[in-house]
Amino acid sequence: MENKIDAELATSTGGIHINTRNAWLADAIELLSSMRFAISLLSLIAIASVIGTVMKQNEPMPNYINQFGPFWFEVFKAFSLYSVYSAWWFLTIMGFLVLSTSLCLIRNAPKMLKDMRSWRENVREQSLRNFHHKAEWQAAGGRIHLMQGLTSHLARVGYRFKVIDKEGATLVTAKQGAANKWGYIFAHSAIVIICIGGMLDSEMPIHFQQWFMGKVPFDGNGIIAKIPEKHRLSLANPTFRGNTMIPEGASSDTAIIPQQTGVFIQDLPFTIRLKKFTIDFYTTGMPKLFASDVEIIDHDTGKSFSSTIKVNEPLIYKGVAVYQSSFEDGGSRLKLAAFPMTGEQEKPFELAGEVGSSTPLKGSLSGQPGNDMTIEWSGFRPFNVENMSRNGADVRAADAKKTFNEQFTTDLNKHLGSAGKNANNKDLKNVGPSVQYKLRDKTGQAREFNNYMQSVLIDGDYMFLAGTRDSPAEAFRYLRIPADDHDSINEWMRLRAAMNNPTLREQAAQRYAARAMSATVPNAKQLQAQLTESAKKSLAIFAGDSKQAGFVAISHFLEQIPPADQGKAADVFMKILNGSMWDLWQLARVQDGLPELQLDEKHARFLQLATGAMSDAYFYGAPVYLQLKGFEEIKASVLQVTRSPGKKVVYFGCLLLVLGVFSMFYIRERRLWIWLKDDGDKTTILMALSSQRKTLDFEKEFEQLRLQLGQIIHHGKA
């Protein structure tokens, strides 16, 4: 009987029969409101959320093509995996979850509310005897007196009760913890409310405007004020989440909402003018705080006010929240020296640029007549905090401790450094400004570069870092140019130009042979001539051609020698190359009117690093090296602008969810019946206790209540 009564309280979905003539409709409603259907939907939402977390959302389409390739790009695009949370199938799942949970509430909430008000007074004596948790006593005295003592104790321990007179008996029915069922109602209502709030803040309103109002994303370039109306969203748009980038001294009254195929322009009810952007740093150079001092101008009233927007301290005005998102360059003005990287020319020429714009580069200036290119200035950073530790194996850290021959013989393939991660905070250093740009040729092909302004100390040597990569999906690889005695790249550029000068190479070979051979050696002239030819050949091989140069060219040359002799030949080759490189450098200095240098450990080290950098330069892929000489920084603040009416709805749903979970887990419903029946000159008392969850606490509570009621019955006191 206890199980039968508990079954009447069950919150399963089969509790109410749906009166309908169509069996299929009844079955469909039964399925939609079932727990297994809701759990399946929640599982699908969990899987979609994992995908949305692992895969970056709402990125530009070329990024996904570079990452996944053309085939998988199309497959993932077909399933809208690049914008999971606004995909039609995700919103459909959310809609079915709302429907399922709502049907479950409609079916079960009325019955629960009815049961909460019910006293279950139609129970019989025999039914109570079938309960597992029951107790029975006999006592002298009348029913009325015993009933008063028992009900007084029930009231003291928190039970609400009702007394019903039966034929020859009295039934006391009591209950406690009926609010447990509110937990079910609150929790399920919370799911519905949170899902509705989430959909209110989703891109559904934008999709509706695309489907029914002819709005289409804008995928071109142009002035925002002149973009056609079909690409703009009005102030009536109920929800949006966009970004606006404002340089210092400039203003904006629109936000950009990215889409897979372009962007929408969202008009704002006010104008934001950035007066000043402030950024503070930790001692390591990492950003600590950045904030925007702005002026807000209301379009309706024309009134304005000032405010400061910080991270986690947004400005909220007219239902629109403005968050400090990040910061960018606002069009800093740059001054650079452009050094040719091909041919015999070494003298730099001046260039000027502005971040966000482009500058033409004439091929005649870079030593490649007819190869005109365009420099697209994409970024400037006034500071760079990098991990310069060897343990961190940073991408910029050359393995410069190897000898020249070791580096040549063990690692010919690592031309531009290795990637590194796992930075330690103690190794973070501010290495100064850097400039990022793209070189685009006539065919539209572009390569990206990232050059540091100042030399960086790496393994005891100062290097100028020049990064290059073929696509944004790749990490930068860095050419490391050693700094000379004056902390510049002039000596390296001088040596690079001399290496491409056949006349100087020949003179350097002759000078090296004369220096290496003593006149007292037999056949000195013949051996000197042979050594001159060997030096000329080694320099020519290293200088290379359009196909290969540097260490790679040397490696291919040595492959023609029998394997048994390659090691010895490599040692001789490198000894000749090192010696003739020194003479080539000194001849280049004399040609430029500079004195020769003393061959000491410092300059020998520079020559070793310079030779390695010249080999790497073949893979640099640029006709010029641009070195930053000066700048006028212009900061820009990136603000996130949102209107989210569903936020408060979600907050309310979360509150209900907390209350519901608390009620279900921490409030236990108990039902108690006491049957008092006259039995001659005595009274028989039968007590039964029921709960939906049988726990150790319930067993303890039953035993305690049984002892207390027994004491009242036999002694008249608790």
Side-chain angles (χ1 to χ4, degrees):
M1 183 63 186
E2 179 182 6
N3 294 335
K4 182 178 179 180
I5 294 176
D6 288 342
E8 295 177 359
L9 294 175
T11 58
S12 63
T13 56
I16 294 180
H17 174 69
I18 299 177
N19 185 15
T20 175
R21 296 180 180 179
N22 299 317
W24 67 268
L25 180 60
D27 292 340
I29 294 177
E30 180 71 23
L31 174 64
L32 288 174
S33 60
S34 66
M35 181 175 291
R36 64 180 182 276
F37 185 74
I39 292 176
S40 299
L41 293 176
L42 287 172
S43 300
L44 291 175
I45 291 175
I47 294 172
S49 299
V50 170
I51 295 174
T53 302
V54 173
M55 184 180 294
K56 290 184 178 181
Q57 300 291 291
N58 299 312
E59 292 280 308
M61 290 296 108
N63 291 7
Y64 295 118
I65 296 176
N66 293 331
Q67 183 176 0
F68 301 116
F71 175 77
W72 288 109
F73 167 77
E74 294 295 339
V75 173
F76 294 157
K77 182 180 179 182
F79 290 96
S80 302
L81 297 186
Y82 306 132
S83 54
V84 169
Y85 303 114
S86 59
W88 65 268
W89 53 266
F90 184 83
L91 296 177
T92 301
I93 294 174
M94 293 284 287
F96 271 109
L97 181 61
V98 171
L99 177 62
S100 175
T101 311
S102 299
L103 287 175
C104 194
L105 272 174
I106 292 172
R107 298 181 64 193
N108 293 292
K111 181 180 179 180
M112 289 185 174
L113 294 174
K114 181 179 179 181
D115 186 76
M116 288 170 61
R117 295 190 298 267
S118 171
W119 290 96
R120 300 189 194 175
E121 55 195 60
N122 295 325
V123 68
R124 299 179 181 180
E125 179 182 0
Q126 187 57 41
S127 300
L128 297 179
R129 294 186 181 279
N130 292 329
F131 275 64
H132 177 71
H133 295 85
K134 63 181 184 295
E136 188 172 1
W137 303 273
Q138 279 192 336
R143 281 185 289 138
I144 302 300
H145 176 73
L146 289 171
M147 183 267 295
Q148 290 177 347
L150 293 173
T151 54
S152 297
H153 179 73
L154 293 178
R156 284 196 299 271
V157 296
Y159 278 88
R160 296 170 58 209
F161 62 87
K162 181 179 181 181
V163 179
I164 301 100
D165 290 328
K166 302 285 185 176
E167 294 182 2
T170 300
L171 174 65
V172 178
T173 176
K175 57 185 177 181
Q176 188 180 61
N180 169 271
K181 291 183 174 58
W182 281 111
Y184 174 93
I185 297 173
F186 285 166
H188 285 68
S189 300
I191 294 175
V192 175
I193 292 171
I194 291 173
C195 289
I196 292 175
M199 287 190 288
L200 286 176
D201 284 349
S202 70
E203 292 193 351
M204 284 187 63
I206 295 179
H207 292 325
F208 279 120
Q209 293 181 67
Q210 288 182 265
W211 297 334
F212 304 111
M213 300 176 62
K215 300 292 185 180
V216 293
F218 179 69
D219 59 354
N221 296 315
I223 301 174
I224 291 180
K226 296 183 179 180
I227 293 178
E229 190 65 27
K230 64 180 180 179
H231 306 303
R232 309 179 75 95
L233 303 178
S234 70
L235 296 177
N237 187 20
T239 177
F240 58 82
R241 184 181 300 272
N243 294 299
T244 181
M245 188 183 80
I246 311 174
E248 286 182 325
S251 60
S252 173
D253 59 359
T254 58
I256 305 299
I257 303 177
Q259 301 290 298
Q260 289 189 7
T261 57
V263 298
F264 279 115
I265 310 301
Q266 173 64 59
D267 292 325
L268 302 177
F270 47 80
T271 296
I272 307 172
R273 188 175 74 86
L274 180 63
K275 296 189 292 185
K276 183 181 180 182
F277 181 78
T278 305
I279 181 168
D280 293 331
F281 303 94
Y282 291 104
T283 55
T284 60
M286 292 291 288
K288 178 173 63 174
L289 170 69
F290 44 95
S292 299
D293 294 331
V294 300
E295 180 183 10
I296 303 298
I297 305 171
D298 192 303
H299 291 172
D300 293 333
T301 64
K303 295 182 179 179
S304 63
F305 62 92
S306 298
S307 180
T308 299
I309 304 172
K310 301 179 181 178
V311 177
N312 299 325
E313 296 182 18
L315 165 69
I316 301 177
Y317 183 64
K318 285 197 166 182
V320 177
V322 184
Y323 296 88
Q324 181 66 62
S325 176
S326 61
F327 55 92
E328 295 288 347
D329 190 279
S332 296
R333 299 178 180 89
L334 311 174
K335 294 182 179 180
L336 306 101
F339 291 86
M341 292 289 283
T342 59
E344 303 174 18
Q345 185 177 347
E346 65 174 280
K347 300 300 181 183
F349 56 93
E350 293 184 355
L351 269 181
E354 183 176 313
V355 176
S357 63
S358 60
T359 301
L361 177 64
K362 295 294 183 180
S364 57
L365 294 175
S366 62
Q368 294 184 332
N371 185 24
D372 294 345
M373 307 184 79
T374 301
I375 307 173
E376 299 174 357
W377 309 102
S378 54
F380 165 74
R381 295 178 64 89
F383 59 89
N384 287 273
V385 179
E386 308 290 359
N387 172 34
M388 306 311 297
S389 70
R390 290 299 298 136
N391 293 333
D394 191 88
V395 68
R396 298 153 185 80
D399 201 355
K401 288 188 176 180
K402 290 185 178 180
T403 66
F404 186 70
N405 286 340
E406 287 175 334
Q407 187 156 339
F408 164 66
T409 56
T410 62
D411 205 4
L412 285 176
N413 294 324
K414 296 182 180 179
H415 299 290
L416 297 178
S418 59
K421 298 179 181 179
N422 301 326
N424 298 317
N425 288 335
K426 64 181 181 180
D427 299 314
L428 295 177
K429 290 182 174 56
N430 185 358
V431 296
S434 67
V435 59
Q436 190 167 326
Y437 58 92
K438 291 181 180 179
L439 279 179
R440 192 175 301 277
D441 60 23
K442 294 179 180 179
T443 64
Q445 298 297 314
R447 199 170 192 182
E448 195 168 13
F449 300 88
N450 185 49
N451 297 344
Y452 287 80
M453 180 179 184
Q454 301 170 358
S455 60
V456 179
L457 182 63
I458 301 175
D459 293 334
D461 299 298
Y462 281 93
M463 306 279 192
F464 287 93
L465 303 176
T468 177
R469 64 183 179 186
D470 296 324
S471 71
E474 300 176 0
F476 281 106
R477 298 170 298 163
Y478 283 84
L479 171 65
R480 296 170 295 274
I481 302 175
D484 56 26
D485 294 345
H486 302 288
D487 196 29
S488 73
I489 62 170
N490 294 334
E491 291 299 329
W492 186 84
M493 287 294 176
R494 179 177 290 111
L495 183 58
R496 184 213 60 78
M499 179 60 69
N500 287 277
N501 187 328
T503 302
L504 278 181
R505 290 204 305 265
E506 183 174 357
Q507 294 175 6
Q510 294 172 353
R511 173 171 165 161
Y512 166 72
R515 191 165 51 85
M517 297 301 301
S518 172
T520 60
V521 176
N523 302 320
K525 291 186 178 181
Q526 182 180 357
L527 292 176
Q528 182 175 337
Q530 293 176 356
L531 187 56
T532 299
E533 289 300 318
S534 297
K536 284 174 58 179
K537 189 172 184 179
S538 66
L539 289 173
I541 292 173
F542 189 84
D545 52 29
S546 60
K547 295 182 180 179
Q548 59 186 21
F551 295 155
V552 172
I554 297 175
S555 177
H556 289 169
F557 171 76
L558 293 176
E559 289 174 356
Q560 304 172 20
I561 301 174
D565 299 328
Q566 286 183 4
K568 182 177 180 180
D571 290 338
V572 173
F573 193 104
M574 295 308 301
K575 182 177 180 180
I576 294 174
L577 179 64
N578 287 337
S580 55
M581 285 284 287
W582 172 263
D583 289 290
L584 180 65
W585 183 17
Q586 303 314 307
L587 287 173
R589 285 181 58 86
V590 171
Q591 179 179 272
D592 291 341
L594 298 173
E596 295 188 21
L597 298 172
Q598 182 180 357
L599 181 56
D600 52 20
E601 183 179 354
K602 177 181 178 182
H603 292 121
R605 176 63 175 170
F606 173 84
L607 183 62
Q608 175 186 343
L609 297 174
T611 305
M614 272 193 287
S615 177
D616 293 345
Y618 180 76
F619 301 91
Y620 186 57
V624 292
Y625 165 76
L626 303 184
Q627 186 179 34
L628 188 63
K629 292 297 185 180
F631 58 87
E632 179 187 350
E633 183 186 7
I634 299 177
K635 301 173 185 175
S637 177
V638 179
L639 303 174
Q640 185 182 80
V641 187
T642 66
R643 176 181 284 161
S644 50
K647 180 174 64 176
K648 294 182 179 179
V649 177
V650 172
Y651 288 162
F652 177 66
C654 292
L655 175 62
L656 285 184
L657 184 62
V658 171
L659 294 175
V661 171
F662 180 85
S663 300
M664 287 191 294
F665 282 93
Y666 296 100
I667 299 178
R668 292 181 294 110
E669 182 182 17
R670 280 91 75 201
R671 294 279 185 166
L672 175 69
W673 295 268
I674 301 177
W675 187 279
L676 298 96
K677 183 179 68 173
D678 294 333
D679 187 9
D681 59 346
K682 295 183 179 181
T683 301
T684 300
I685 303 98
L686 176 62
M687 181 269 285
L689 185 65
S690 172
S691 176
Q692 286 183 328
R693 290 179 298 188
K694 307 299 188 296
T695 63
L696 293 177
D697 289 339
F698 176 73
E699 297 288 344
K700 182 178 180 181
E701 181 181 354
F702 171 73
E703 288 298 325
Q704 185 177 9
L705 187 61
R706 183 180 64 82
L707 292 174
Q708 291 173 349
L709 294 181
Q711 190 176 18
I712 293 173
I713 291 170
H714 293 299
H715 303 286
K717 60 180 180 179

